[in-house]
């Protein structure tokens, strides 16, 4: 089975005592606790799709000067983060396939150094991807509630400082994680970070939806046209997609971390651990879905994307 390099360290809890391993093995032998055998080729294919998709987003934003604004810079950074997740997955999976088929022989010491590099790359890109999802939510919130002051609040300088801060914090946090990944305090920090992002997005997007719903209700009462229900339903669907995709793609992995901290020897938790590869697939799927939610909905970006695809530079 393939796994992302740094997340591979978290496949099973390290604090399981030897006395409990026999019980875990006995319970984990049931059919539904065997997990999923996901071939390396599937990881490779999914990583390639995500890489190409996010690379097109970055190319389109860089090409069109009309997209050179803080909002699209944040989307570009999100695409780069998702692209790095794909690159690290592709590199690791490719090396695993080559070594499995005997086409590549590498010394153990070199493999360890490569693992450390991929560990850093993937962990940093995962943290930055989560961070930029939150930054985009804040940017959209400012756009709606402080529309007249948006350009004075979200200046280009502040946007650059925000992006640099996210990348720096992601790099530092990934370094700490790789060094102290066996410490429960580190896992608790990751779990808290995910919960903070989830609550942040939940509060901001629901508040934005509530304001849009209020405006639509006012327009409907003034114009006496049935625009309220259809538009409100569309907004509710969009909100559900935004938060639903985030929770579905990231929730299982962070729930896995919670179980590692709270019940590493519990038989039912052990069964949940066996589906670790599925949680990693969901994270990679998030890298595929993000451009569809945050980038391709822009008509200007879609037009530029077609120009990039058709090579009309």
């Amino acid at each position: 089975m393939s796994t992302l390099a740094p997340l591979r360290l978290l496949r099973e809890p390290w604090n399981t005592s030897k006395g409990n391993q026999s019980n875990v093995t006995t319970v984990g032998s049931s059919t539904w606790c065997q997990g999923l055998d996901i071939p390396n080729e599937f990881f490779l294919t999914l990583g390639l799709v995500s890489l190409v998709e996010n690379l097109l987003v970055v190319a389109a934003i860089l090409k069109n000067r009309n997209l050179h604004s803080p909002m699209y810079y944040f989307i570009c950074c999100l695409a780069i983060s998702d692209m790095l997740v794909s690159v690290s997955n592709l590199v690791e999976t490719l090396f695993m396939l080559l070594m499995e088929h005997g086409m590549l022989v590498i010394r153990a010491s070199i493999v360890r150094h490569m693992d450390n590099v991929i560990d850093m790359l993937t962990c940093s890109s995962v943290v930055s991807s989560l961070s930029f999802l939150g930054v985009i939510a804040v940017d959209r919130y400012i756009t709606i509630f402080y529309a007249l002051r948006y350009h004075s609040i979200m200046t280009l300088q502040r946007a650059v400082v925000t992006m640099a801060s996210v990348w720096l914090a992601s790099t530092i946090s990934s370094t700490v994680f790789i060094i102290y990944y066996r410490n429960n305090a580190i896992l608790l920090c990751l779990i808290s970070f995910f919960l903070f992002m989830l609550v942040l997005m939940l509060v901001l997007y629901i508040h934005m939806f509530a304001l849009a719903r209020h405006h639509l209700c006012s327009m409907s009462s003034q114009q006496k046209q049935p625009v309220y229900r259809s538009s409100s339903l569309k907004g509710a669907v969009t909100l559900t997609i935004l938060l639903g995709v985030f929770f579905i793609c990231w929730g299982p992995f962070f729930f896995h971390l919670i179980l590692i901290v709270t019940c590493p020897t519990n038989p039912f938790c052990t069964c949940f651990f066996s589906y670790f590869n599925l949680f990693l697939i969901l994270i990679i799927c998030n890298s595929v879905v993000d451009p569809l939610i945050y980038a391709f909905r822009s008509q200007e970006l879609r037009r530029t994307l077609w120009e990039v695809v058709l090579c009309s530079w």
Side-chain angles (χ1 to χ4, degrees):
M1 294 184 187
S2 174
T3 60
L4 293 176
L7 307 183
R8 161 181 50 78
L9 305 173
L10 303 174
R11 174 193 291 274
E12 297 176 354
W14 54 85
N15 49 355
T16 303
S17 62
K18 293 183 179 179
N20 293 323
Q21 285 181 353
S22 58
N23 295 333
V24 171
T25 304
T26 301
V27 178
S29 60
S30 60
T31 303
W32 72 279
C33 291
Q34 296 302 315
L36 295 176
D37 186 12
I38 302 176
N40 289 328
E41 290 78 7
F42 184 74
F43 276 87
L44 190 64
T45 302
L46 198 60
L48 281 172
V49 173
S50 174
L51 176 62
V52 172
E53 193 177 28
N54 285 285
L55 190 60
L56 287 174
V57 173
V58 174
I61 292 176
L62 293 178
K63 179 182 185 298
N64 191 340
R65 291 190 175 183
N66 293 332
L67 302 177
H68 292 182
S69 63
M71 179 182 70
Y72 285 104
Y73 285 151
F74 295 146
I75 293 177
C76 183
C77 286
L78 175 63
I80 293 174
S81 299
D82 290 339
M83 192 167 54
L84 292 178
V85 173
S86 305
V87 168
S88 59
N89 171 61
L90 286 172
V91 171
E92 187 209 12
T93 305
L94 185 60
F95 273 102
M96 290 180 65
L97 287 173
L98 292 176
M99 288 188 288
E100 284 178 2
H101 292 82
M103 301 174 63
L104 183 64
V105 179
I106 306 177
R107 290 185 302 176
S109 59
I110 298 179
V111 172
R112 284 195 299 270
H113 288 302
M114 290 177 56
D115 274 345
N116 290 333
V117 173
I118 297 177
D119 287 354
M120 291 284 298
L121 177 63
T122 306
C123 188
S124 177
S125 57
V126 166
V127 173
S128 62
S129 181
L130 281 171
S131 300
F132 282 115
L133 286 174
V135 170
I136 290 173
V138 173
D139 180 74
R140 290 185 172 182
Y141 184 86
I142 297 174
T143 302
I144 292 178
F145 286 90
Y146 302 94
L148 298 179
R149 298 173 50 201
Y150 174 79
H151 293 291
S152 61
I153 296 175
M154 188 58 67
T155 62
L156 182 60
Q157 182 179 3
R158 287 178 179 173
V160 171
V161 170
T162 300
M163 291 183 289
S165 300
V166 169
W167 287 115
L168 180 61
S170 301
T171 303
I172 295 174
S173 61
S174 63
T175 304
V176 174
F177 170 72
I178 298 305
I179 297 175
Y180 301 105
Y181 76 94
R182 291 182 181 272
N183 192 323
N184 279 348
I186 298 299
L187 294 187
L188 288 174
C189 289
L190 285 174
I191 295 169
S192 300
F193 175 66
F194 167 75
L195 293 176
F196 171 76
M197 286 299 168
L198 178 61
V199 172
L200 177 67
M201 294 177 65
L202 188 66
V203 171
L204 294 182
Y205 281 123
I206 288 180
H207 195 190
M208 284 185 278
F209 170 70
L211 177 65
R213 187 172 181 269
H214 175 72
H215 284 324
L216 288 171
C217 184
S218 300
M219 292 173 58
S220 178
S221 61
Q222 293 175 2
Q223 300 177 3
K224 297 182 180 181
Q225 294 179 358
V227 298
Y228 168 65
R229 288 186 178 180
S230 60
S231 300
S232 182
L233 179 61
K234 183 178 179 180
V237 170
T238 301
L239 177 65
T240 303
I241 292 174
L242 281 171
L243 299 176
V245 168
F246 178 82
F247 185 78
I248 291 173
C249 291
W250 290 100
F253 171 71
F254 281 92
F255 186 62
H256 176 94
L257 298 187
I258 293 174
L259 295 184
I260 286 181
V261 176
T262 58
C263 59
T265 61
N266 186 283
F268 297 99
C269 296
T270 304
C271 288
F272 191 83
F273 297 152
S274 64
Y275 289 88
F276 186 75
N277 278 341
L278 176 61
F279 311 151
L280 301 185
I281 286 292
L282 291 175
I283 291 178
I284 302 175
C285 285
N286 184 77
S287 300
V288 176
V289 175
D290 276 346
L292 302 177
I293 298 177
Y294 295 97
F296 295 155
R297 299 181 66 182
S298 167
Q299 184 176 0
E300 180 78 12
L301 193 144
R302 289 200 306 270
R303 183 181 62 80
T304 307
L305 185 63
W306 279 114
E307 294 178 0
V308 172
V309 172
L310 298 176
C311 300
S312 58
W313 291 82

